[in-house]
Amino acid sequence: MARLRAAGCVFAEDEARLLVSAARTPEELAAMVARRADGLPLEHVLGWAEFHGLRVAVDPGVFVPRRRTEFLVDRAAALAPPRAVVVDLCCGSGALGAALAAALDGAELYAADIDPAAVRCARRNVPAGARVYEGDLYAPLPAALRGRVDILLANVPYVPTEEVGLLPPEARIHEARGALDGGADGLDVLRRVTAQAPGWLAPGGSLLVETSERQAAGAAAAFAANGLVPRVCSSDELYATVVIGTVAYSG
């Protein structure tokens, strides 16, 4: 605990408890503490993260799921119909898709990420029967999914390029830049996801994207420009902002 405090770990007591419970020998504990004190994210040291009641495997270099993103999962669960078809884009470790599938009965889950390391990690985390694809956004998804997706999760990178350098070292050094950098205003990937979403969503289906409070208006405008009916939801407790875009029923 003293070593972690000296390294600047704010929650040194809690982290020390987790490391002690995970280490099998005193030597392993010392090595884990040293890696954490050197700035490696706790989740990468442990090899897992707690997310929405699940223990999610997180390999080195893979984006660590944030607790605030549990709000996105909760909003998605509230919208999902029975036996929902769910797609998790930019899936990273697969935490969102896995958590939503655990919260729903009979969900049909597909996930995709451009990062091979993330895809390998996600395949360990999603439930049996789920499929994880490697490729850029929608490109690797089966064409048969077009027009069938009830819930489209997209935890896109949304940090503006010039602000990536201001992130804590744990993120900017140890997580893939592609999972963080959202372009000049942070909305580049969001726009790409939104532009194609209507072709994949079922009637009444919804796209859910996490963003920052100051970016929410721009994100909602992108949704509306592509024919989705947007609304912004926020959680003061989790400091989370989610934009939801729904395909209107026709006829």
Side-chain angles (χ1 to χ4, degrees), residues 160-243:
T161 300
E162 65 179 14
E163 296 179 19
V164 171
L166 304 177
L167 292 173
E170 291 179 354
R172 70 172 188 267
I173 296 173
H174 297 288
E175 293 178 325
R177 186 179 180 108
L180 304 168
D181 190 340
D185 65 353
L187 299 178
D188 282 0
V189 183
L190 181 146
R191 292 189 188 95
R192 292 181 58 212
V193 168
T194 304
Q196 296 187 54
W200 293 87
L201 290 170
S206 295
L207 165 65
L208 297 93
V209 175
E210 180 179 282
T211 187
S212 69
E213 184 178 9
R214 64 188 169 92
Q215 294 167 312
F223 278 46
N226 287 285
L228 298 174
V229 180
R231 59 190 175 98
V232 178
C233 302
S234 60
S235 167
D236 292 336
E237 177 187 357
L238 294 176
Y239 195 61
T241 300
V242 171
V243 183

